[in-house]
Amino acid sequence: MDLCKICDHGLETIISFGEMPISNRFVSDLTTDEFFYDLSLGFCPKCLMVQLENCVDPDMMFNPDYAYFSSISRAMEGHFKEMADEIIVSVSDRPRPFVVELGTNDGIMLKHIAERGVPHLGVEPSANVGASAREKGVNILVEFFNSKCASEIMDSHGQADIICGANVMCHIENINSVFDGVRILLKPEGEFFFEDPYLSNIIQKTSFDQIYDEHVYYFSGLAVSGLAKRHGLELVNMVPQEVHGGSMRYYLKKGSGNPVTNNVDFFLSQEKALNLDSLEGYASFKERVDKICSDFRNVLLKIKADGKRVAAYGATSKSTTLLIYSKVGPGLIDYVSDTTPTKIGKYTPGTHIPVKSYEHFLGDSPPYTVLLAWNHKAEILEKEQEYRKGGGKFITFFPEVTIE
Ligand code: SAH
Ligand code: TYD
């Protein structure tokens, strides 16, 4: 039995997907062997954290070849500008504020803080995306954040008014060390906030493609409040976010007895109503995943049998789980269109579907396109009005397979 990475209690398995490759490692040479690990999701009945049962070594995922550049979407640019504005307001009355961001990536958020001349530091282990942030004037420390790194930052820069991170806390297996680090680095009156895909949304929508190597944790307010307490922190607010198919932003303060918003009670009660505090809440998840996958494969087989072609849109890391678990490869999807220069010309991990440029997609105009980047649906549908007017159809798969 695998043990909880937070409290060492035995994990209950929710679903096993089998062997998976590293989801952001696009393949350039099909003759070289890929690394595979066993992907399965577990629930800790003691601390209520949903998590991967086996984790991949962080150096294998986050390194100078990291494929994900945050600034790929206009909607995400807007989202992070708003986050930066909120930070600017909240530090405006502090004498010499210091803002630390974990998982800065290409500086999509912190560039706005840098532009305003606010002292800041981005902690980003993947040197390539970190270099892109530096080009935007952002101060970057190429390191994995943990308690040791936090002590070093405190010695060199002092404590922080704000520590934040988006889509990064769920990536860090050694989260106890990260929370200890936050306690060390945060000023007594400082604020720590982070956001990640929200467990309630994943379970309710069956958006199982969020489950892959980089996403070690699937946070709920129930689990985060307990985790915070273990580390001398307190969950004081929860604010839902529309991005990435439904995320939750958690606000934490040091100590206990801080004013706590009604939102926390509200979302914790909702989570309990969904039974996310017991294995029962996850009981039908695998069955629903299996249905989506067989429907998805059958729809593609039918289109193929009718002699039509299918392409896909967005070489996302999350689609690794969908494609492999559904047994969908280059026999059913001709290529995946993507705007990220470092992904183009390579092949999707494990399934080896060619990744082609967006220009190729525009010229080709395939009759059917699987919307792998479904979390950017609004932005993409707006952009692809011509494609749809010309008869092109998108295939989506949550909460059920749909052609639109
Ligand atoms: N915040 C960005 C990036 C998310 S991708 C956004 O929301 O778009 C996750 C990023 O976290 C990657 O750039 C990865 O290199 C970084 N990361 C992974 N482990 C980390 C750690 N221990 N400390 C800081 N950053 C980490
Ligand atoms: P995303 O879904 O944000 O993340 P993940 O890899 O974590 O699952 O990735 C979106 C991918 O889709 C990214 O590779 C860029 C691509 N993309 C396009 O090609 N065109 C677009 O209009 C958008 C919004 C994204």
Side-chain angles (χ1 to χ4, degrees), residues 24 68 72-73 212 244 313-318 337-340 343 373 375-376 379-380 383:
N24 249 323
Y68 184 74
I72 38 86
S73 142
Y212 58 93
H244 290 310
Y313 200 112
T316 60
S317 43
K318 66 176 88 58
S337 157
D338 201 283
T339 50
T340 314
K343 293 182 185 178
N375 46 317
H376 301 291
E379 178 175 347
I380 292 170
K383 200 157 109 188

Side-chain angles (χ1 to χ4, degrees), residues 270-339:
Q270 263 200 353
E271 292 170 9
K272 282 186 190 148
L274 287 170
N275 290 323
L276 298 184
D277 53 351
S278 78
L279 199 54
E280 209 186 318
Y282 309 94
S284 64
F285 188 68
K286 180 180 182 315
E287 204 179 295
R288 287 182 281 131
V289 171
D290 287 353
K291 166 136 181 39
I292 289 175
C293 289
S294 76
D295 288 353
F296 177 54
R297 189 162 198 281
N298 287 337
V299 161
L300 297 186
L301 283 168
K302 166 91 175 48
I303 294 172
K304 198 81 186 172
D306 290 346
K308 301 261 171 59
R309 288 178 314 109
V310 181
Y313 200 112
T316 60
S317 43
K318 66 176 88 58
S319 49
T320 308
T321 305
L322 169 81
L323 295 172
I324 294 182
Y325 195 61
S326 307
K327 300 192 174 57
V328 167
L332 291 174
I333 294 180
D334 287 3
Y335 63 90
V336 188
S337 157
D338 201 283
T339 50

